[in-house]
Amino acid sequence: MEQTLPWVVRELPPPGSLDLWLLRVSDVPIGILDEQVLDATERQRAATLMHAADRTRFTAAHVALRRLLGSYLSLRPEEVHLGRDTCPCCGGPHGRPTVLDADDRLFFSLSHRGDLAVVGTAAAPIGVDVELVPDEEGTADLAAMLHVDEQAELAALSPPARPRALARLWTRKEAYLKGLGTGLGRDPALDYVGSGRPEGPYPPSGWTLLDVPVDRGYAAAVAVRGELTVDGPLVRRLAGLDVVRHTCDALQTARTPP
């Protein structure tokens, strides 16, 4: 289920709930992304990306993230100061992303791949992941990194069914690892989240895992610590104009056909 919403001041997600947001990058007007709201680190990361499409996706995703976080915290997007928690694996400063000096009831996660970006927010640690469905060769490479029981479940499927099943499983796995704050710094083979079967994942103790409905050719999932008290997930779709410069000239350019 999706709905398009205008930019407004938002209430923080209450305990037991989460908010999910989806942006299709191809909907974003070219050339007027609101890059000025990004900080120096984000601009530098974007500049290191070789392909223009990757730079556009990264920039659009991070502008959307900043605008969403600002709407929860009553801050301008450029006033949102992002940092990292301590990594649970090694104690380094590269754990779960966080908003510095902000309300400790707001947790968030961002993922982007291909033409899609997904943002999740909650009152508890949360992770989201979106991936393209791989080809058969990519499926075999990723499957070799999984829990032995997950490998066996995928191997039991017919070859044509494996790529989609693997994509569902892998996004569940990465969403959980992002929620932990480790990312792939933790061996994906350690945790069992179940095969990619449609009846659902098997979350590790203390976590909720959900598949997220996204565009054809993709899979996505969200992991949040604790139990949800609401049905979900509701995915709110962002419009392309939500991540461009909000000036008369910029909006006119976006609305004028080439």
Side-chain angles (χ1 to χ4, degrees), residues 53-104:
D54 294 337
R55 293 192 296 271
T56 297
R57 181 177 62 247
F58 177 93
T59 301
H62 282 256
V63 171
L65 173 67
R66 284 181 165 276
R67 287 193 171 171
L68 285 168
L69 294 177
S71 73
Y72 286 115
L73 300 170
S74 297
L75 295 173
R76 296 172 62 84
E78 60 270 26
E79 295 172 340
V80 175
H81 299 300
L82 300 176
R84 292 275 183 173
D85 284 341
T86 300
C87 174
C89 290
C90 67
H94 46 259
R96 185 187 301 111
T98 185
V99 180
L100 301 176
D101 302 320
D103 195 308
D104 59 7

Side-chain angles (χ1 to χ4, degrees), residues 132-155:
L132 287 158
V133 175
D135 56 23
E136 290 192 19
E137 181 179 352
T139 298
D141 292 340
L142 289 175
M145 302 170 62
L146 297 173
H147 190 282
V148 291
D149 290 339
E150 294 166 344
Q151 293 185 45
E153 290 170 357
L154 288 172

